[in-house]
């Protein structure tokens, strides 16, 4: 603990001082990158806070939760206004369910084909096409639902309206296909090739390799792919608004029109006065939606993380 | 055919085909690169034959042609023939799957499947038999195969554990064990000890020596000492050609070709 003479200490400090332009540049770059990284968290937090506070007053004092989670009647302009969200939740859930029923087999099939069977050019083309599918704006999907699938459905099934649960489910399924296929294919690609080689050397044919070795090993990644697809479907708005019929209804058949949480917010928010009960109720729906999609994505993400950790 | 295990060639020459593996005028290209040139080889039954030579000499390529696992790459073309147990394995009505049941392969890095130890041993049975194997028969197959590779006593209490949790030595032994229920005639080994430490290497070499006689074993090795102590015959390859094929002690004591002598004495490699 005997301090050296101050004179030598200062000169030593000067000798080790490396605060040149590269040092400063490094500092600035680090700050910029840090800001970028931290900003996503800030944005998410800010958005959630905004949504939550907009509806807070209403949710805390005037909203009857038993009605919100117990009634199908969503009549914000009625006398008295009613805020039952059950039909909306059911609408979102049923459309998502139909979409998954349609898209999961297709997406996983496509991923297996691209990842395990297709070779060379064909594989590259398929990957590009699927990514292109993701680039189609959702309003275009809405138009397809409105003017192609809708009329086709009335013709084929003879139902009064082609805008219904099945229509929206089909559209949503097609929209969720790219992300599901891409992530599923990634998780197939992550299966070490040594496993395939080992199985083939034991005389397994291509399908046996896929079924007995690749798919079991890729299962967590495939479930993450499905969950991310669900998240995508849950949050989709405009295409669903256009194709679903937008009627408050507990669906009992595939051809019933339904209404979703997202479409309700999109359609009604413009008509409300900022801060009134209707406005705030829509924000409560928003919080509900945010919570559900957040939970789905978090689950998917933790599955993917779990895979990475196991591999490391 | 699978039931009659061949003795050594000299002991019983007229039983079955003359050679375990015989290649004639074998040429092989990866795209435009020629990896094998006019390879004529006769591998005898029931002994250990090692393939030696510097990196890129074609020894692994030859090995991987013998069960057609090379074809996974998609850009491989061959001319000439390889007969395994008298059958032309590149013949028009032969499928690689049939070949691979007769010809087991062990890889450089132990590659047990991400299944249980038991499932690894039974994998071949599950994919080649349509009917489910009775439990008792399956148990027997597992025990016999694991005993044969000297692994039974070490793993018998944890057959349900993931095979990837074993040590590398145990994994490699398991990779040999899982070939045995299919009753292969020939075992191909592609540098089976190169990922193992000296102790494990010794154990696996001992195992290979133990299996000698029951199977015809063709082993690729980088390790001259290993070829010398663990093989009956030795094939030296260079730039895609077979330079010399002789009994191991002859090759290491009195090599006939100058290239062989140079390689064995470490003048290149």
């Amino acid at each position: 603990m005997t301090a050296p003479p101050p004179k030598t200490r200062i000169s030593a400090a000067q000798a080790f001082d490396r605060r040149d332009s590269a040092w400063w540049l490094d500092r600035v770059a680090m700050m910029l990158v840090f800001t970028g990284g931290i900003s996503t968290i800030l944005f998410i937090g800010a958005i959630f806070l905004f949504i939550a506070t907009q509806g807070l007053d209403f949710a805390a004092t005037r909203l009857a939760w038993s009605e919100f989670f117990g009634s199908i009647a969503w009549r914000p302009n009625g006398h008295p206004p009613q805020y039952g969200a059950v039909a909306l939740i059911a609408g979102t859930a049923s459309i998502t369910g139909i979409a998954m029923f349609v898209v999961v087999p297709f997406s996983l099939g496509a991923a297996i084909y691209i990842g395990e069977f297709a070779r060379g050019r064909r594989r590259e083309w398929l990957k590009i096409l699927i990514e292109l599918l993701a680039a189609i704006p959702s309003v275009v999907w809405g138009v397809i639902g409105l003017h192609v699938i809708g009329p086709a459905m009335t013709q084929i099934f003879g139902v009064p309206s082609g805008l219904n649960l099945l229509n929206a489910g089909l559209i949503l399924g097609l929209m969720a296909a790219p992300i599901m296929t891409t992530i599923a294919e990634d998780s197939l690609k992550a299966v070490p090739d040594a496993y395939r080689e080992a199985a083939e050397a034991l005389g397994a044919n291509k399908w046996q390799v896929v079924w007995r070795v690749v798919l079991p090993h890729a299962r967590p990644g495939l479930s993450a792919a499905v969950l991310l697809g669900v998240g995508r479907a849950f949050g989709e708005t405009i295409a669903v608004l256009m194709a679903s019929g937008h009627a408050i209804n507990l669906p009992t058949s595939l051809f019933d029109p339904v209404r979703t949480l997202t479409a309700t917010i999109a359609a009604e928010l413009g008509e409300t006065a900022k801060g009134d009960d209707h406005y705030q109720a829509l924000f409560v729906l928003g919080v509900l939606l945010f919570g559900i999609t957040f939970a789905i994505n978090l689950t998917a993400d933790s599955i993917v993380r779990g895979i990475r950790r196991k591999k490391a | 055919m699978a039931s009659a295990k061949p003795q050594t060639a000299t002991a019983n020459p007229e039983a079955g085909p003359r050679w375990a593996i015989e290649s004639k005028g074998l040429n092989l290209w990866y795209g435009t690169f020629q990896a094998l040139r006019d390879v004529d080889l006769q591998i005898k039954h029931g002994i250990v034959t090692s393939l030696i030579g510097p990196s890129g000499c074609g020894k692994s390529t030859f090995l991987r042609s013998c069960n057609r696992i090379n074809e996974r790459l998609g850009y491989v073309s061959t001319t000439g023939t390889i007969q395994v147990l008298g059958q032309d394995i590149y013949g028009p009505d032969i499928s690689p799957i049939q070949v691979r049941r007769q010809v087991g392969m062990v890889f450089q890095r132990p590659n047990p499947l991400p299944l249980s130890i038991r499932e690894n041993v039974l994998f071949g049975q599950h994919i080649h038999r349509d009917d489910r194997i009775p439990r008792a028969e399956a148990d027997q197959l597992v025990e016999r195969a694991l005993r044969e590779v000297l692994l039974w006593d070490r793993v018998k209490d944890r057959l349900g554990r993931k095979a990837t949790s074993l040590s590398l030595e145990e994994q490699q032994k398991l990779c040999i064990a899982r070939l045995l229920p299919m009753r292969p005639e020939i075992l191909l080994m592609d540098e089976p000890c190169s990922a193992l430490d000296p102790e494990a290497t010794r154990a696996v070499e001992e195992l290979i020596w133990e299996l000698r006689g029951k199977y015809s074993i063709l082993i690729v090795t980088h390790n001259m000492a290993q070829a010398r102590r663990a093989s009956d015959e030795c094939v030296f390859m260079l730039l895609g050609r077979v330079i010399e094929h002789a009994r191991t002690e002859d090759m290491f004591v009195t090599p006939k070709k100058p290239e062989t002598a140079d390689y064995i004495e470490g003048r290149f490699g």
Side-chain angles (χ1 to χ4, degrees), chain B residues 146-268:
Chain B
L146 289 173
R147 273 195 195 287
E148 217 171 327
V149 300
L150 317 172
L151 209 53
W152 175 251
D153 291 324
R154 260 194 277 175
V155 301
K156 65 180 176 217
D157 300 321
R158 42 180 177 146
L159 294 174
R161 287 266 295 279
K162 276 242 164 162
T164 38
S165 69
L166 296 171
S167 75
L168 280 180
E169 174 196 334
E170 291 166 335
Q171 287 187 21
Q172 196 61 303
K173 285 181 168 177
L174 178 65
C175 289
I176 298 174
R178 72 178 170 194
L179 305 172
L180 306 182
M182 287 186 288
R183 304 177 152 278
E185 307 277 342
I186 295 167
L187 301 181
L188 306 173
M189 304 194 180
D190 192 356
E191 305 199 28
C193 300
S194 65
L196 307 180
D197 61 47
E199 195 54 30
T201 299
R202 202 180 50 76
V204 172
E205 272 179 22
E206 268 168 19
L207 170 61
I208 293 170
W209 207 241
E210 194 93 355
L211 296 171
R212 176 183 173 272
K214 279 188 271 186
Y215 306 93
S216 312
I217 299 172
L218 185 58
I219 174 171
V220 163
T221 178
H222 245 103
N223 180 336
M224 216 82 60
Q226 183 176 60
R228 190 165 190 172
R229 65 179 174 250
S231 69
D232 301 285
E233 288 197 358
C234 211
V235 177
F236 173 61
M237 291 182 73
L238 188 62
L239 298 172
R241 293 178 197 281
V242 173
I243 304 294
E244 191 167 344
H245 179 185
R247 288 173 55 216
T248 302
E249 59 257 47
D250 293 345
M251 184 180 283
F252 279 91
V253 177
T254 51
K256 293 203 172 56
K257 298 279 171 63
E259 296 98 319
T260 316
D262 286 350
Y263 181 69
I264 288 170
E265 283 162 30
R267 265 174 244 156
F268 69 95

